[in-house]
Every structure is written in C-alpha cells, then in structure tokens.
Amino acid sequence: MPARPPRLKQRREFQRVSSRGTRVARPGLVLQVLAGTEAPLRVGFTTTKKIGNAVTRNRARRRLREAARILLGEAAPAGYDLVLIGRDATATRDFRTLVGDLRGALKQAGLLKPTPVPESVP
C-alpha cells in the first residue's frame, strides 16, 4: 500500500503555491503546482463553502487525499508543492473518474510521464 505523501498545512504555504504556481483544471478538481522547492513532494487539500456543507467538504477532501495517495504514494517526484482544490463534482464523481482527472492534471503539469499504449497483438 503506497504511503501518504507529506502535507502542506499552513496558510502561507497554500498562498505561496497559489500565487507563484501554475493551475490545471479538470471537472473533478483543480491542481496548483509550484516547482523548484528543496523539500520532497508535499500536497495540500482544500475545499470551499461553495461546494456544500461540512459533510460534503470533508468527503471531497477525503476522496482527494485517497486519489493522491494512490497516484503519488511512492513514485512522487521531489521538489514540488501541490494543492488540490475540490470542486462541486469532487464529492459525487465516480472515484475512478476522479483518479483519472487527477492523473490527467498531473500529466498536463509534467509530473507524471504518459503511460505508453500497448500495441495490439495480432
């Protein structure tokens, strides 16, 4: 089972990633990436009151944490700070689709290498 990546916890860390980093949006989430940090990969999770009550926000954050654990657990590139922002669809979206959204955002940001498509065997 992949380990949980280290976390961003302080407001100033989130603001630094937001102001200096790049954004990648998907239907299920928004990914903010800040490259060039000296620390190992760190991930922060946030949701706003716009997506619902506390139960909905907590469910969205739990789902984002699990998706990040699956994709970034052991093969995480060092030197990046990531912030995952929950959207309206995060709490209700099919989990495989949510993981696919995160995988696509990470690929677009250059953190995951594209997986080669296997050639069909005749």
Side-chain angles (χ1 to χ4, degrees), residues 27-69:
L29 58 95
V30 176
L31 172 68
Q32 295 176 336
V33 180
L34 179 62
T37 62
E38 297 299 321
L41 177 100
R42 297 183 305 167
V43 183
F45 305 92
T46 186
T47 54
T48 65
K49 288 187 176 183
K50 285 193 265 183
I51 71 167
N53 61 14
V55 173
T56 305
R57 293 192 309 269
N58 288 332
R59 179 177 293 129
R61 278 194 301 270
R62 281 194 310 268
R63 297 183 85 206
L64 288 175
R65 279 195 303 266
E66 181 63 14
R69 186 189 67 80

Short mmCIF file of all heavy atoms in Angstrom, two decimals, residues 27-69:
data_model
loop_
_atom_site.label_atom_id
_atom_site.label_comp_id
_atom_site.label_asym_id
_atom_site.label_seq_id
_atom_site.Cartn_x
_atom_site.Cartn_y
_atom_site.Cartn_z
N PRO A 27 -12.72 18.61 -14.47
CA PRO A 27 -14.09 18.67 -13.94
C PRO A 27 -14.19 18.31 -12.46
O PRO A 27 -15.02 18.85 -11.74
CB PRO A 27 -14.85 17.65 -14.79
CG PRO A 27 -14.08 17.57 -16.06
CD PRO A 27 -12.64 17.78 -15.68
N GLY A 28 -13.34 17.41 -11.98
CA GLY A 28 -13.43 16.97 -10.60
C GLY A 28 -12.54 17.69 -9.62
O GLY A 28 -12.71 17.56 -8.41
N LEU A 29 -11.57 18.46 -10.11
CA LEU A 29 -10.62 19.10 -9.20
C LEU A 29 -9.82 20.17 -9.92
O LEU A 29 -9.83 20.25 -11.15
CB LEU A 29 -9.66 18.08 -8.59
CG LEU A 29 -8.82 17.25 -9.57
CD1 LEU A 29 -7.45 17.85 -9.77
CD2 LEU A 29 -8.68 15.85 -9.04
N VAL A 30 -9.12 20.98 -9.14
CA VAL A 30 -8.16 21.94 -9.66
C VAL A 30 -6.83 21.61 -9.00
O VAL A 30 -6.76 21.40 -7.78
CB VAL A 30 -8.57 23.40 -9.33
CG1 VAL A 30 -7.50 24.38 -9.80
CG2 VAL A 30 -9.89 23.74 -9.97
N LEU A 31 -5.76 21.55 -9.79
CA LEU A 31 -4.43 21.26 -9.29
C LEU A 31 -3.57 22.50 -9.45
O LEU A 31 -3.50 23.08 -10.53
CB LEU A 31 -3.81 20.09 -10.07
CG LEU A 31 -2.35 19.78 -9.79
CD1 LEU A 31 -2.18 19.22 -8.38
CD2 LEU A 31 -1.82 18.79 -10.81
N GLN A 32 -2.92 22.91 -8.37
CA GLN A 32 -1.95 24.01 -8.41
C GLN A 32 -0.59 23.41 -8.11
O GLN A 32 -0.45 22.63 -7.16
CB GLN A 32 -2.28 25.09 -7.38
CG GLN A 32 -3.57 25.79 -7.66
CD GLN A 32 -3.93 26.80 -6.58
OE1 GLN A 32 -3.50 26.70 -5.44
NE2 GLN A 32 -4.73 27.78 -6.96
N VAL A 33 0.41 23.76 -8.94
CA VAL A 33 1.74 23.17 -8.83
C VAL A 33 2.78 24.27 -8.71
O VAL A 33 2.78 25.22 -9.49
CB VAL A 33 2.07 22.31 -10.08
CG1 VAL A 33 3.45 21.70 -9.98
CG2 VAL A 33 1.02 21.25 -10.29
N LEU A 34 3.67 24.13 -7.74
CA LEU A 34 4.80 25.03 -7.58
C LEU A 34 6.06 24.18 -7.64
O LEU A 34 6.28 23.31 -6.79
CB LEU A 34 4.74 25.80 -6.26
CG LEU A 34 5.90 26.76 -6.00
CD1 LEU A 34 5.95 27.85 -7.07
CD2 LEU A 34 5.79 27.36 -4.63
N ALA A 35 6.88 24.41 -8.64
CA ALA A 35 8.12 23.65 -8.82
C ALA A 35 9.28 24.39 -8.19
O ALA A 35 9.20 25.58 -7.91
CB ALA A 35 8.39 23.45 -10.31
N GLY A 36 10.37 23.67 -8.00
CA GLY A 36 11.60 24.29 -7.55
C GLY A 36 11.77 24.40 -6.06
O GLY A 36 12.63 25.14 -5.59
N THR A 37 10.98 23.69 -5.28
CA THR A 37 11.19 23.72 -3.84
C THR A 37 12.27 22.70 -3.50
O THR A 37 12.51 21.75 -4.23
CB THR A 37 9.89 23.37 -3.08
OG1 THR A 37 9.50 22.05 -3.44
CG2 THR A 37 8.79 24.34 -3.41
N GLU A 38 12.93 22.89 -2.39
CA GLU A 38 14.01 22.00 -1.98
C GLU A 38 13.50 20.79 -1.22
O GLU A 38 14.21 19.82 -1.05
CB GLU A 38 15.01 22.77 -1.11
CG GLU A 38 15.70 23.90 -1.86
CD GLU A 38 16.51 23.42 -3.05
OE1 GLU A 38 17.15 22.35 -2.96
OE2 GLU A 38 16.48 24.11 -4.09
N ALA A 39 12.29 20.85 -0.74
CA ALA A 39 11.72 19.77 0.07
C ALA A 39 11.23 18.63 -0.83
O ALA A 39 11.07 18.80 -2.04
CB ALA A 39 10.56 20.32 0.89
N PRO A 40 10.95 17.47 -0.24
CA PRO A 40 10.29 16.42 -1.02
C PRO A 40 8.89 16.89 -1.40
O PRO A 40 8.41 17.90 -0.90
CB PRO A 40 10.24 15.24 -0.06
CG PRO A 40 10.40 15.81 1.28
CD PRO A 40 11.21 17.06 1.13
N LEU A 41 8.26 16.15 -2.27
CA LEU A 41 6.90 16.50 -2.71
C LEU A 41 5.98 16.63 -1.51
O LEU A 41 5.97 15.79 -0.62
CB LEU A 41 6.35 15.41 -3.64
CG LEU A 41 4.92 15.67 -4.09
CD1 LEU A 41 4.92 16.26 -5.47
CD2 LEU A 41 4.12 14.42 -4.04
N ARG A 42 5.22 17.74 -1.47
CA ARG A 42 4.23 17.95 -0.42
C ARG A 42 2.90 18.28 -1.09
O ARG A 42 2.87 18.91 -2.13
CB ARG A 42 4.64 19.10 0.49
CG ARG A 42 5.92 18.83 1.24
CD ARG A 42 6.28 19.93 2.19
NE ARG A 42 6.32 21.22 1.52
CZ ARG A 42 6.35 22.38 2.17
NH1 ARG A 42 6.33 22.42 3.48
NH2 ARG A 42 6.40 23.51 1.50
N VAL A 43 1.82 17.84 -0.46
CA VAL A 43 0.49 18.02 -1.04
C VAL A 43 -0.43 18.65 0.00
O VAL A 43 -0.41 18.28 1.18
CB VAL A 43 -0.11 16.66 -1.49
CG1 VAL A 43 -1.45 16.85 -2.15
CG2 VAL A 43 0.84 15.93 -2.41
N GLY A 44 -1.24 19.61 -0.45
CA GLY A 44 -2.25 20.23 0.40
C GLY A 44 -3.62 20.05 -0.24
O GLY A 44 -3.74 19.93 -1.46
N PHE A 45 -4.65 20.01 0.58
CA PHE A 45 -6.02 19.78 0.12
C PHE A 45 -6.91 20.86 0.68
O PHE A 45 -6.84 21.18 1.85
CB PHE A 45 -6.51 18.41 0.59
CG PHE A 45 -5.61 17.28 0.20
CD1 PHE A 45 -4.60 16.85 1.04
CD2 PHE A 45 -5.74 16.68 -1.04
CE1 PHE A 45 -3.76 15.82 0.68
CE2 PHE A 45 -4.90 15.66 -1.42
CZ PHE A 45 -3.90 15.22 -0.55
N THR A 46 -7.79 21.39 -0.16
CA THR A 46 -8.71 22.42 0.30
C THR A 46 -10.02 22.35 -0.47
O THR A 46 -10.07 21.87 -1.60
CB THR A 46 -8.07 23.83 0.17
OG1 THR A 46 -8.94 24.78 0.75
CG2 THR A 46 -7.81 24.19 -1.27
N THR A 47 -11.07 22.78 0.20
CA THR A 47 -12.39 22.91 -0.42
C THR A 47 -13.02 24.18 0.13
O THR A 47 -12.70 24.61 1.23
CB THR A 47 -13.30 21.71 -0.09
OG1 THR A 47 -13.36 21.55 1.33
CG2 THR A 47 -12.79 20.44 -0.71
N THR A 48 -13.92 24.76 -0.63
CA THR A 48 -14.57 25.99 -0.19
C THR A 48 -16.01 25.71 0.21
O THR A 48 -16.58 24.67 -0.13
CB THR A 48 -14.57 27.05 -1.31
OG1 THR A 48 -15.37 26.57 -2.39
CG2 THR A 48 -13.16 27.33 -1.80
N LYS A 49 -16.61 26.66 0.88
CA LYS A 49 -18.01 26.51 1.30
C LYS A 49 -18.96 26.51 0.11
O LYS A 49 -20.12 26.13 0.26
CB LYS A 49 -18.39 27.62 2.27
CG LYS A 49 -17.76 27.45 3.63
CD LYS A 49 -18.30 28.46 4.60
CE LYS A 49 -17.74 28.22 5.98
NZ LYS A 49 -18.30 29.16 6.95
N LYS A 50 -18.48 26.91 -1.06
CA LYS A 50 -19.33 26.91 -2.24
C LYS A 50 -19.79 25.51 -2.63
O LYS A 50 -20.82 25.35 -3.26
CB LYS A 50 -18.60 27.53 -3.43
CG LYS A 50 -18.48 29.02 -3.37
CD LYS A 50 -18.04 29.58 -4.69
CE LYS A 50 -16.56 29.76 -4.73
NZ LYS A 50 -16.09 30.37 -5.97
N ILE A 51 -19.02 24.49 -2.25
CA ILE A 51 -19.39 23.14 -2.70
C ILE A 51 -20.35 22.44 -1.75
O ILE A 51 -20.82 21.36 -2.06
CB ILE A 51 -18.16 22.26 -2.97
CG1 ILE A 51 -17.44 21.86 -1.69
CG2 ILE A 51 -17.22 22.91 -3.92
CD1 ILE A 51 -16.45 20.75 -1.92
N GLY A 52 -20.62 23.03 -0.59
CA GLY A 52 -21.61 22.41 0.28
C GLY A 52 -21.28 22.55 1.75
O GLY A 52 -20.38 23.29 2.14
N ASN A 53 -22.01 21.78 2.54
CA ASN A 53 -21.83 21.85 3.99
C ASN A 53 -20.56 21.10 4.42
O ASN A 53 -19.83 20.57 3.59
CB ASN A 53 -23.07 21.31 4.71
CG ASN A 53 -23.35 19.86 4.39
OD1 ASN A 53 -22.51 19.16 3.84
ND2 ASN A 53 -24.54 19.41 4.72
N ALA A 54 -20.31 21.03 5.72
CA ALA A 54 -19.08 20.43 6.23
C ALA A 54 -18.95 18.96 5.84
O ALA A 54 -17.84 18.49 5.53
CB ALA A 54 -19.02 20.58 7.74
N VAL A 55 -20.05 18.24 5.83
CA VAL A 55 -20.00 16.82 5.47
C VAL A 55 -19.54 16.66 4.03
O VAL A 55 -18.68 15.83 3.71
CB VAL A 55 -21.39 16.17 5.68
CG1 VAL A 55 -21.41 14.75 5.16
CG2 VAL A 55 -21.77 16.21 7.14
N THR A 56 -20.08 17.46 3.12
CA THR A 56 -19.72 17.39 1.71
C THR A 56 -18.26 17.80 1.50
O THR A 56 -17.53 17.16 0.74
CB THR A 56 -20.65 18.30 0.88
OG1 THR A 56 -22.00 17.91 1.13
CG2 THR A 56 -20.36 18.17 -0.59
N ARG A 57 -17.83 18.87 2.17
CA ARG A 57 -16.44 19.32 2.03
C ARG A 57 -15.47 18.28 2.55
O ARG A 57 -14.44 18.00 1.92
CB ARG A 57 -16.24 20.65 2.77
CG ARG A 57 -16.98 21.81 2.15
CD ARG A 57 -16.55 23.13 2.71
NE ARG A 57 -16.54 23.23 4.17
CZ ARG A 57 -17.55 23.64 4.91
NH1 ARG A 57 -18.71 23.98 4.33
NH2 ARG A 57 -17.44 23.72 6.22
N ASN A 58 -15.78 17.68 3.70
CA ASN A 58 -14.89 16.65 4.25
C ASN A 58 -14.84 15.42 3.36
O ASN A 58 -13.78 14.83 3.17
CB ASN A 58 -15.34 16.26 5.66
CG ASN A 58 -15.05 17.35 6.66
OD1 ASN A 58 -14.12 18.13 6.48
ND2 ASN A 58 -15.85 17.40 7.71
N ARG A 59 -15.97 15.03 2.79
CA ARG A 59 -15.99 13.89 1.86
C ARG A 59 -15.13 14.19 0.65
O ARG A 59 -14.35 13.34 0.19
CB ARG A 59 -17.42 13.58 1.43
CG ARG A 59 -17.50 12.42 0.46
CD ARG A 59 -18.92 12.07 0.09
NE ARG A 59 -19.59 11.55 1.27
CZ ARG A 59 -20.76 11.99 1.72
NH1 ARG A 59 -21.40 12.95 1.07
NH2 ARG A 59 -21.31 11.46 2.79
N ALA A 60 -15.22 15.39 0.12
CA ALA A 60 -14.42 15.78 -1.05
C ALA A 60 -12.93 15.73 -0.71
O ALA A 60 -12.12 15.21 -1.50
CB ALA A 60 -14.82 17.17 -1.52
N ARG A 61 -12.55 16.24 0.45
CA ARG A 61 -11.13 16.21 0.84
C ARG A 61 -10.64 14.79 1.06
O ARG A 61 -9.52 14.45 0.66
CB ARG A 61 -10.91 17.04 2.10
CG ARG A 61 -10.78 18.51 1.82
CD ARG A 61 -10.23 19.27 3.02
NE ARG A 61 -11.05 19.12 4.20
CZ ARG A 61 -12.05 19.93 4.53
NH1 ARG A 61 -12.36 20.95 3.76
NH2 ARG A 61 -12.74 19.71 5.63
N ARG A 62 -11.45 13.94 1.67
CA ARG A 62 -11.04 12.54 1.87
C ARG A 62 -10.82 11.84 0.53
O ARG A 62 -9.85 11.08 0.37
CB ARG A 62 -12.11 11.78 2.66
CG ARG A 62 -12.08 12.03 4.13
CD ARG A 62 -12.92 11.00 4.88
NE ARG A 62 -14.26 10.84 4.36
CZ ARG A 62 -15.32 11.52 4.78
NH1 ARG A 62 -15.20 12.43 5.72
NH2 ARG A 62 -16.51 11.28 4.26
N ARG A 63 -11.70 12.11 -0.43
CA ARG A 63 -11.56 11.47 -1.74
C ARG A 63 -10.31 11.99 -2.46
O ARG A 63 -9.60 11.23 -3.12
CB ARG A 63 -12.81 11.73 -2.57
CG ARG A 63 -14.03 11.08 -1.91
CD ARG A 63 -15.25 11.25 -2.72
NE ARG A 63 -15.23 10.14 -3.68
CZ ARG A 63 -15.81 10.18 -4.86
NH1 ARG A 63 -16.47 11.23 -5.23
NH2 ARG A 63 -15.74 9.15 -5.66
N LEU A 64 -10.02 13.30 -2.33
CA LEU A 64 -8.80 13.84 -2.94
C LEU A 64 -7.56 13.25 -2.28
O LEU A 64 -6.57 12.94 -2.97
CB LEU A 64 -8.78 15.37 -2.82
CG LEU A 64 -9.76 16.14 -3.70
CD1 LEU A 64 -9.72 17.62 -3.36
CD2 LEU A 64 -9.47 15.91 -5.17
N ARG A 65 -7.57 13.11 -0.96
CA ARG A 65 -6.41 12.52 -0.27
C ARG A 65 -6.16 11.09 -0.73
O ARG A 65 -5.02 10.69 -0.95
CB ARG A 65 -6.63 12.53 1.25
CG ARG A 65 -6.34 13.86 1.88
CD ARG A 65 -6.20 13.75 3.39
NE ARG A 65 -7.36 13.19 4.04
CZ ARG A 65 -8.35 13.88 4.56
NH1 ARG A 65 -8.35 15.20 4.49
NH2 ARG A 65 -9.36 13.28 5.16
N GLU A 66 -7.22 10.31 -0.88
CA GLU A 66 -7.06 8.93 -1.32
C GLU A 66 -6.56 8.86 -2.76
O GLU A 66 -5.69 8.05 -3.08
CB GLU A 66 -8.37 8.16 -1.16
CG GLU A 66 -8.29 6.71 -1.57
CD GLU A 66 -7.33 5.88 -0.74
OE1 GLU A 66 -6.89 6.32 0.34
OE2 GLU A 66 -7.00 4.75 -1.17
N ALA A 67 -7.08 9.69 -3.63
CA ALA A 67 -6.61 9.71 -5.02
C ALA A 67 -5.13 10.10 -5.07
O ALA A 67 -4.34 9.51 -5.82
CB ALA A 67 -7.45 10.67 -5.85
N ALA A 68 -4.73 11.08 -4.27
CA ALA A 68 -3.33 11.50 -4.24
C ALA A 68 -2.45 10.39 -3.67
O ALA A 68 -1.33 10.16 -4.16
CB ALA A 68 -3.16 12.77 -3.42
N ARG A 69 -2.93 9.69 -2.65
CA ARG A 69 -2.16 8.58 -2.08
C ARG A 69 -1.92 7.49 -3.12
O ARG A 69 -0.83 6.96 -3.24
CB ARG A 69 -2.88 8.00 -0.87
CG ARG A 69 -2.07 6.93 -0.14
CD ARG A 69 -2.90 6.23 0.91
NE ARG A 69 -3.97 5.43 0.33
CZ ARG A 69 -3.80 4.20 -0.19
NH1 ARG A 69 -2.62 3.65 -0.23
NH2 ARG A 69 -4.84 3.54 -0.68
#
